[in-house]
Amino acid sequence: MKQALHILRKDFDYVRIEVAIFVLLAAAFAWMKLHVQNDEWSDPVLALAAAYLIARSVHADGIPGDRQFWLTRPYSRKSLLFAKLLFVAVCVSLPVALAELTVALRAGFDLKETIGPLLLSQALLFVFGALPILGLAALTTGIIPFIVIALALTLLWMGGSSAVEFWFPAYAYSIPGPVEWIRSTMFSVPIVVVTIIAIVWQYRSRATNSSRILAIAGLNVAALLFLFIPASFALQTQSWFSKKPDLASGITITARHQDRYTAALVKFAEGEMMEVPFVIEVDHLPPNVEVRADDLVISGSLNGLEFNQLRQPGIERRSQQDDRATFEVTMIVSPRLFQSDGYVPLKLKGSLYLTLFGDDENSLVSLRARAAPAPSGLRCTMTQMTDRARSVPPPPGAEQEWHPADSIVCRSLFQWPGKLVYAQSGEHLADFSNTRISYAPFNVGFSLTPFETRWSVPVDSDTVTLITRKPLVHFRRDFELKNVTLADFEARR
Amino acid sequence: MIPIRCHKLSVAFGTLRAVDELDLVVEPGAIYGLLGPNGAGKTTAIKSMMNIIGRTSGSAEIFGRDSRQLRHDDFTRIGYVSENQDLPTWMTVGYLMRYLEPFYPTWDNERATQLLRLFDLPLDRSLRHLSRGMLMKAALASSLAYRPRLLVLDEPFSGLDPLVREELIEGMLETAEESTILVSSHDLGEIETFASHIGYMDRGRLVFSEEMSVLTTRFREVEVTIAEPADLTRDPRWPDRWLRPEVSPAVVRFIDTAYDPELTPAHVRQLFRGVRDISARPIPLRTIFVTMARNSREFSKGVAA
């Protein structure tokens, strides 16, 4: 420990100017978060500066090579590694944490409620951000190779993502947003495991070539997992996190045709396609729950042969009343199917992944305050969105009238809660992009920004009831729809 | 405990065997000069001994411990100075000494001050602003201040001016009584003045390793005055150990690498007719080194041809 502190002091002396600049950048980051609305620059700048600082400290006593003076000095390898980790904690994580804390406090959050998520966020950033950077630095001989390899990896990642989106769109968009955290975790965990092994190996044995091979293998495994994890696996995994699995036991679903047999011919980037609608009814819902669809998988067969759907089917909840919810499904098929096999009975099989939300928390919130406390740690206020938001239908002959509109702005520490959030004002229920929530069990994400902000649609009153609704159970129901003949649908443009 | 013992130590880089089955023992208290032409494998061997690089086969032990198992506390009694070492040039001389002090339980501040004075090193000057000679002196001072039991110097004198060399040697010899020293060098003139043992490496192998006194006795320049001119250097009877022959009508000169006051003259008389006189004189280390290096090069050419 003593030696680690001694090396840390040396490293601090070595990069004291860079550390001072980093502290200034962290302060600028805090200022930007509080004063610039759509700040896009402070996060990447701070992340790049942190990466540079970590690499400089690691390269001060570099591992690969045979010319470093410390190799023949009584350096304890454990102390050396500990010194580098301490450096990251003290010179990188601490300024960032202080900047984030300042931002959170100034944004209206309490110190007590901020500390826990702040520490968890810093732990995530340390493990999933700083450690891989430290690992890369420990595998490179200097700052230039470090930058070149980091750039190459970034370009590879961006190029690879674009290539996958272009050639394998089914894989790129296969995971529904709420369970994306499972894919991210499956991607990040191998990287972190390999990083830890490579770092320990490097500092213990200086086995640079073996460590590099291990790192490349780990990256490949992570990339493959990221690309090819099926949505069904992520959704099944999510179901293990259900808080009240029994709630779904009596729920059934049935699929049926739409009342109106209309199929729309729609233009997509790939060409014209047919949107074939049908309906799924979810019955026997327990009281006081809201049901939402996370994903829908359909396979169809014609004369015993499977046919491909050209795109992921769309699903939207049309209504939920009493114990029944109705979802409208849009299946996308080739127009050629209509022409060639329109009269052949079609058999559709599918699985619908659903989540029930409930256990509401309500709170009457006066939005005149700068940051009014709301359920789930939210801080909300009213902000004028536009002065030409809503027109009142004018009397005949009169001119259109425009009114200013207010919107509710809520902030959540680090990450939006994994719950549905509504603002109720009279009969009006405003939503906060509830389709973009995450079911992750931890309430922080891999981000430097200490809060997430969302806006509701305009509301009339400055006193609203904020409602949050927890996910209670994630489950799957299978269905079958037989004897569909596409010729029954009236194709319309 | 033997400070350095290598047994069939080999280090290969791909197909190149930089060190090839090196057998080397450095006895306690020795000042061992490791000589050899460029590319002989001296630096690679030393780096392997110091666990800076790995090895392909064989073994190397430092004070009885496998060099691959050298721990940080082993390095509290080893000093290593090399021209190939990157010092933290952002430090000042004073910072370097202060930084290293806590690593060594035997660090002697008084001695450190003496060394800095001896080497005339400015404490407040950053290492990046020092000349190469001054850098070597700073490295040596930081390696002598804790009185290492083993001092390993890899080409410490190359490219330095004579005054700096003298200062380095003076500093190094101050520890000679309490340390074992291994020094690789091209600076044969300097090595000759202080080495107690000499090893000669070529193409990764140790060609010979002996005490200095034995070596200078073994190598002799032999001059034979003959009545009848004769060039017998290509004669199959010409011994392999007689190197660098020079033939003139009346005189034949060569270097005998295994001179024996009785056997060599007898062998000369067997080979030459009308031998008038045989004289043998000791030769400087530089001549031994050059003879061995040239012979090795000619041997290589012969093998290649």
Side-chain angles (χ1 to χ4, degrees):
Chain A
M1 181 66 181
K2 210 171 153 188
Q3 196 181 88
L5 289 175
H6 185 60
I7 297 170
L8 171 68
R9 214 162 20 240
K10 181 266 295 175
D11 285 345
F12 184 78
D13 286 343
Y14 175 48
V15 287
R16 59 186 182 280
I17 294 169
E18 288 93 329
V19 170
I21 293 171
F22 186 75
V23 170
L24 287 177
L25 282 174
F29 165 86
W31 189 89
M32 298 274 281
K33 289 293 163 206
L34 290 167
H35 296 97
V36 180
Q37 202 157 41
N38 293 316
D39 161 43
E40 289 177 351
W41 288 102
S42 61
D43 286 46
V45 168
L46 198 64
L48 286 176
Y52 177 78
L53 198 54
I54 293 168
R56 289 275 289 156
S57 84
V58 171
H59 291 142
D61 304 290
I63 307 292
D66 58 359
R67 299 175 67 98
Q68 307 92 302
F69 91 106
W70 70 268
L71 294 176
T72 49
R73 298 291 181 173
Y75 268 53
S76 150
R77 301 286 177 87
K78 271 186 205 160
S79 299
L80 182 60
L81 175 56
F82 192 45
K84 302 305 169 188
L85 294 173
L86 270 179
F87 180 88
V88 176
V90 174
C91 298
V92 178
S93 298
L94 187 62
V96 172
L98 289 175
E100 289 184 335
L101 182 64
T102 309
V103 174
L105 295 180
R106 293 292 302 274
F109 296 96
D110 301 335
L111 179 64
K112 207 172 152 190
E113 66 180 335
T114 308
I115 288 295
L118 179 70
L119 291 177
L120 183 57
S121 162
Q122 286 305 314
L124 275 181
L125 287 171
F126 190 90
V127 172
F128 293 100
L131 275 189
I133 291 166
L134 196 149
L136 179 59
L139 294 174
T140 47
T141 50
I143 197 73
I144 302 292
F146 171 83
I147 291 171
V148 169
I149 292 173
L151 270 178
L153 285 175
T154 309
L155 288 176
L156 201 65
W157 177 248
M158 288 164 66
S161 307
S162 304
V164 169
E165 279 172 27
F166 185 75
W167 279 300
F168 308 104
Y171 289 118
Y173 304 109
S174 62
I175 305 284
V179 292
E180 177 64 44
W181 71 273
I182 291 173
R183 174 154 80 169
S184 304
T185 308
M186 298 286 285
F187 172 69
S188 309
V189 166
I191 290 183
V192 168
V193 169
V194 161
T195 297
I196 291 171
I197 295 172
I199 289 173
V200 171
W201 205 357
Q202 269 296 76
Y203 275 87
R204 183 184 287 174
S205 315
R206 295 178 56 241
T208 303
N209 286 339
S210 312
S211 301
R212 283 175 181 165
I213 290 168
L214 179 75
I216 291 168
L219 279 178
N220 281 305
V221 167
L224 289 174
L225 280 174
F226 186 83
L227 285 177
F228 298 112
I229 282 180
S232 57
F233 172 82
L235 291 157
Q236 179 63 37
T237 307
Q238 186 63 56
S239 70
W240 301 338
F241 291 86
S242 296
K243 292 186 185 83
K244 295 184 176 175
D246 294 342
L247 270 186
S249 56
I251 294 174
T252 56
I253 67 168
T254 43
R256 61 173 177 78
H257 297 294
Q258 287 256 37
D259 297 334
R260 284 175 293 131
Y261 277 40
T262 309
L265 198 59
V266 181
K267 271 194 178 175
F268 287 100
E270 299 95 319
E272 283 194 328
M273 293 181 199
M274 214 56 153
E275 285 187 344
V276 179
F278 64 94
V279 166
I280 294 178
E281 283 167 345
V282 181
D283 289 304
H284 308 116
L285 289 169
N288 304 321
V289 296
E290 179 181 341
V291 63
R292 284 188 172 244
D294 295 320
D295 200 16
L296 172 68
V297 181
I298 307 175
S299 64
S301 61
L302 258 172
N303 293 329
L305 293 173
E306 289 223 347
F307 70 86
N308 286 332
Q309 284 183 84
L310 298 172
R311 276 173 170 248
Q312 172 74 10
I315 181 161
E316 201 174 327
R317 194 180 59 184
R318 194 201 287 166
S319 64
Q320 183 178 345
Q321 277 181 335
D322 304 326
D323 68 343
R324 166 175 287 188
T326 307
F327 289 89
E328 201 170 276
V329 175
T330 316
M331 197 176 69
I332 295 166
V333 296
S334 163
R336 273 177 298 176
L337 265 180
F338 278 77
Q339 291 152 10
S340 58
D341 298 299
Y343 292 96
V344 182
L346 191 69
K347 187 169 149 190
L348 298 176
K349 283 169 90 173
S351 299
L352 181 60
Y353 293 87
L354 297 161
T355 296
L356 295 187
F357 294 84
D359 287 359
D360 293 9
E361 279 182 80
N362 302 334
S363 169
L364 196 64
V365 177
S366 167
L367 299 168
R368 275 170 293 201
R370 191 175 65 89
S376 300
L378 293 170
R379 291 290 182 278
C380 300
T381 190
M382 191 76 105
T383 183
Q384 190 178 336
M385 199 165 67
T386 170
D387 54 357
R388 285 172 65 86
R390 212 174 304 172
S391 71
V392 175
E399 281 200 11
Q400 180 93 346
E401 275 186 51
W402 293 95
H403 292 266
D406 290 331
S407 172
I408 306 171
V409 181
C410 287
R411 280 174 172 167
S412 171
L413 268 174
F414 294 99
Q415 186 168 283
W416 194 256
K419 300 172 180 177
L420 305 179
V421 181
Y422 297 101
Q424 192 171 32
S425 162
E427 289 296 302
H428 183 66
L429 200 62
D431 161 298
F432 288 83
S433 309
N434 281 337
T435 51
R436 289 196 294 116
I437 62 167
S438 167
Y439 298 151
F442 32 83
N443 61 344
V444 294
F446 183 70
S447 164
L448 287 169
T449 309
F451 52 70
E452 186 175 341
T453 307
R454 290 192 182 184
W455 287 262
S456 75
V457 291
V459 290
D460 290 329
S461 170
D462 57 6
T463 303
V464 295
T465 303
L466 251 291
I467 304 165
T468 61
R469 208 162 272 170
K470 290 179 198 159
L472 303 175
V473 53
H474 312 279
F475 61 103
R476 188 186 91 181
R477 288 291 178 271
D478 298 332
F479 64 88
E480 213 173 78
L481 187 59
K482 289 178 183 168
N483 297 324
V484 180
T485 45
L486 293 175
D488 293 342
F489 288 83
E490 178 197 343
R492 278 208 312 218
R493 274 186 192 273
Chain B
M1 194 79 78
I2 301 291
I4 298 177
R5 186 198 295 275
C6 299
H7 178 62
K8 293 193 179 302
L9 175 69
S10 296
V11 183
F13 301 110
T15 54
L16 174 73
R17 281 179 91 82
V19 178
D20 192 5
E21 301 201 335
L22 174 72
D23 286 312
L24 174 74
V25 175
V26 179
E27 300 284 349
I31 303 179
Y32 193 106
L34 187 60
L35 306 178
N38 285 333
K42 305 183 296 293
T43 296
T44 306
I46 288 174
K47 282 183 173 175
S48 183
M49 290 172 211
M50 294 289 101
N51 195 28
I52 296 172
I53 58 172
R55 61 178 180 239
T56 312
S57 61
S59 67
E61 289 174 5
I62 305 296
F63 293 120
R65 187 191 287 273
D66 185 334
S67 66
R68 290 178 302 191
Q69 308 297 326
L70 285 176
R71 287 167 41 85
H72 64 282
D73 41 353
D74 293 314
F75 281 104
T76 56
R77 27 184 209 160
I78 299 171
Y80 171 80
V81 176
S82 167
E83 64 160 356
N84 298 311
Q85 209 171 21
D86 290 335
L87 290 172
T89 50
W90 61 274
M91 291 183 186
T92 62
V93 175
Y95 192 110
L96 177 71
M97 300 299 270
R98 280 196 308 279
Y99 175 61
L100 290 175
E101 184 194 331
F103 286 94
Y104 297 95
T106 57
W107 186 276
D108 181 344
N109 266 324
E110 205 174 304
R111 181 161 168 70
T113 312
Q114 279 173 3
L115 286 162
L116 292 173
R117 206 174 299 135
L118 172 72
F119 291 149
D120 197 20
L121 286 164
L123 281 175
D124 55 350
R125 179 94 52 92
S126 84
L127 298 182
R128 77 165 64 90
H129 294 131
L130 295 183
S131 65
R132 222 184 81 74
M134 296 280 262
L135 260 183
M136 290 306 287
K137 287 197 286 186
L140 190 61
S142 71
S143 297
L144 293 178
Y146 51 93
R147 302 179 188 280
R149 284 180 57 200
L150 172 63
L151 183 62
V152 178
L153 306 169
D154 184 16
E155 298 284 0
F157 310 122
S158 67
L160 302 185
D161 66 58
L163 186 65
V164 176
R165 272 185 231 177
E166 276 305 316
E167 286 175 344
L168 281 178
I169 291 168
E170 195 181 331
M172 184 186 79
L173 292 181
E174 279 193 6
T175 59
E177 281 179 18
E178 49 202 6
S179 302
T180 302
I181 300 173
L182 170 67
V183 52
S184 81
S185 179
H186 287 108
D187 206 310
L188 308 162
E190 303 294 357
I191 292 273
E192 194 169 20
T193 60
F194 59 77
S196 64
H197 292 70
I198 290 290
Y200 180 81
M201 273 188 84
D202 189 29
R203 285 173 294 173
R205 285 176 173 270
L206 193 65
V207 180
F208 61 77
S209 171
E210 328 182 37
E211 274 187 44
M212 189 73 175
S213 54
V214 174
L215 185 73
T216 47
T217 311
R218 187 161 74 81
F219 278 81
R220 282 283 189 276
E221 186 181 52
V222 178
E223 189 174 282
V224 183
T225 312
I226 44 178
E228 298 170 26
D231 183 3
L232 297 170
T233 55
R234 289 186 186 160
D235 190 300
R237 291 172 300 160
W238 183 269
D240 290 341
R241 63 173 199 272
W242 292 359
L243 305 177
R244 290 182 65 193
E246 289 171 21
V247 180
S248 63
V251 177
V252 175
R253 248 183 240 112
F254 58 87
I255 288 169
D256 189 354
T257 59
Y259 180 78
D260 184 293
E262 288 175 10
L263 292 178
T264 302
H267 204 157
V268 167
R269 285 179 206 286
Q270 274 178 7
L271 200 61
F272 294 96
R273 282 183 198 164
V275 174
R276 284 187 180 158
D277 184 38
I278 302 171
S279 64
R281 24 172 221 275
I283 54 173
L285 192 59
R286 179 181 300 278
T287 313
I288 296 174
F289 176 83
V290 171
T291 304
M292 295 304 295
R294 280 195 186 159
N295 186 57
S296 163
R297 213 172 296 156
E298 278 157 20
F299 176 77
S300 304
K301 279 182 193 165
V303 169

